[in-house]
């Protein structure tokens, strides 16, 4: 039985989620502010965390940031703000997914199942050492240690930036749609608001292409993106 921690200060929403999740067979714990939520997460070691963005004591963003120092527990962020910048901030701090209020419980349950499944697969799969490294030109990424190097220099990427780059490199030479990236990187079938993919592509281009005078991620008009390593001409 998977253990799920709900951190939500609106007690009616927390109670509703608790009843629905228990009905689905989950073991459920609740906390009503960020500080107690963080303490509970560290003490109880849940299998998944449902975390509200706006919380007293500590914000959901801060809880997520602190948890990521010691834990890779899947985190689904709840937010009343339908704003790309808020979603990007949560994902950059280590959240795996987000749901905008009001939401359909069926959608949240589906995302919980996907997040738990991905986490189980990550924990049981052990790739051979030689499969840990992806290379293209002067770019090397180690999927075991989550390290990226360009021309021998380490490049700091957020989790979603790393996952986006990894997926594109694994499919280099193939045009990938925005919807495909959302589905594979974010882990669920997602349609609409695909401009968040464009935000992460901009981040990657700034940190890699612009900094090292190379071209890696090409825009395919009306389709999406394609990874193909090229050295820029001086």
């Amino acid at each position: 039985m998977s253990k799920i921690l709900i951190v939500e200060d609106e007690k009616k929403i927390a109670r509703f989620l608790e009843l629905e999740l228990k009905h689905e067979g989950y073991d459920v714990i609740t906390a009503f502010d960020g500080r107690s939520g963080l303490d509970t997460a560290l003490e109880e070691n849940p299998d998944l965390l449902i975390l509200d963005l706006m919380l007293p004591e500590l914000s959901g963003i801060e809880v997520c940031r602190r948890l990521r120092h010691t834990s890779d527990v899947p985190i689904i962020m709840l937010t009343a703000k339908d704003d790309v910048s808020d979603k990007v901030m949560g994902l950059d701090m280590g959240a795996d997914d987000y749901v905008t209020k009001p939401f359909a419980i069926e959608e949240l349950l589906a995302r919980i199942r996907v997040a738990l499944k991905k986490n189980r697969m990550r924990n049981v799969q052990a790739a051979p050492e030689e499969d840990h490294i992806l290379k293209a030109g002067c770019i090397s990424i180690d999927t075991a240690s989550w390290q990226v190097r360009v021309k021998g220099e380490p490049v700091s990427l957020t989790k979603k930036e790393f996952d986006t780059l990894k997926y594109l490199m694994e499919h280099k030479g193939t045009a990938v749609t925005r919807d495909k990236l959302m589905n594979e990187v974010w882990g669920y079938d997602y349609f609409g608001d695909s401009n968040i993919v464009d935000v992460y592509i901009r981040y990657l281009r700034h940190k890699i292409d612009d900094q090292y005078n190379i071209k890696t991620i090409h825009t395919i008009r009306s389709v999406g993106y394609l990874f193909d390593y090229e050295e820029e001409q001086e």
Side-chain angles (χ1 to χ4, degrees):
M1 180 186 298
S2 296
K3 184 191 298 183
I4 296 179
L5 170 61
I6 300 167
V7 187
E8 167 63 71
D9 63 321
E10 295 185 50
K11 294 189 177 181
K12 287 184 178 180
I13 294 178
R15 180 59 175 163
F16 167 72
L17 290 174
E18 180 182 13
L19 291 173
E20 290 289 340
L21 292 174
K22 283 184 174 179
H23 180 72
E24 293 295 317
Y26 296 111
D27 183 14
V28 183
I29 316 165
T30 56
F32 304 109
D33 65 74
R35 191 168 299 281
S36 62
L38 177 61
D39 291 342
T40 303
L42 294 173
E43 291 169 4
E44 296 287 343
N45 193 28
D47 298 295
L48 183 138
L49 187 64
I50 298 175
L51 181 63
D52 190 31
L53 179 68
M54 304 296 290
L55 291 168
E57 302 293 334
L58 287 176
S59 71
I61 294 291
E62 183 62 17
V63 172
C64 188
R65 187 187 71 80
R66 295 190 189 188
L67 269 179
R68 282 297 177 248
H69 288 307
T70 57
S71 172
D72 61 355
V73 59
I75 296 175
I76 298 178
M77 193 81 77
L78 299 182
T79 172
K81 298 180 178 180
D82 190 14
D83 187 284
V84 170
S85 62
D86 291 305
K87 296 169 184 176
V88 168
M89 185 182 301
L91 295 168
D92 279 350
M93 288 299 105
D96 297 271
D97 197 355
Y98 57 82
V99 177
T100 303
K101 298 177 185 176
F103 54 85
I105 187 63
E106 293 82 4
E107 179 187 8
L108 178 59
L109 290 172
R111 296 188 185 193
I112 289 171
R113 289 193 293 269
V114 169
L116 289 171
K117 181 179 178 181
K118 286 183 69 176
N119 196 49
R120 285 194 296 268
M121 291 175 63
R122 184 167 64 231
N123 289 335
V124 301
Q125 288 179 344
E129 185 175 351
E130 61 270 17
D131 291 343
H132 289 171
I133 308 298
L134 292 173
K135 292 184 178 180
C138 64
I139 302 174
S140 173
I141 70 174
D142 187 331
T143 60
S145 63
W146 290 45
Q147 292 182 338
V148 178
R149 289 185 175 273
V150 181
K151 297 185 177 179
E153 298 179 3
V155 177
S156 177
L157 299 182
T158 66
K159 182 178 184 296
K160 278 295 181 284
E161 289 168 356
F162 182 92
D163 289 344
T164 301
L165 177 63
K166 175 177 174 287
Y167 186 81
L168 288 170
M169 286 183 67
E170 287 173 338
H171 297 81
K172 61 184 176 182
T174 301
V176 179
T177 66
R178 290 174 176 82
D179 286 341
K180 186 69 172 177
L181 275 170
M182 288 298 300
N183 183 39
E184 297 297 331
V185 174
W186 272 256
Y188 56 90
D189 291 322
Y190 187 95
F191 298 95
D193 199 19
S194 62
N195 59 333
I196 199 169
V197 172
D198 302 330
V199 172
Y200 278 87
I201 294 297
R202 284 203 306 272
Y203 290 166
L204 286 171
R205 284 172 170 165
H206 173 69
K207 291 184 175 182
I208 295 176
D209 293 27
D210 296 347
Q211 297 298 318
Y212 295 94
N213 198 35
I214 58 178
K215 188 169 181 61
T216 62
I217 303 174
H218 303 257
T219 300
I220 308 300
R221 185 170 296 180
S222 302
V223 178
Y225 297 100
L226 177 146
F227 186 95
D228 187 21
Y229 182 89
E230 292 179 6
E231 292 279 357
E232 293 282 12
Q233 298 298 316
E234 295 293 342

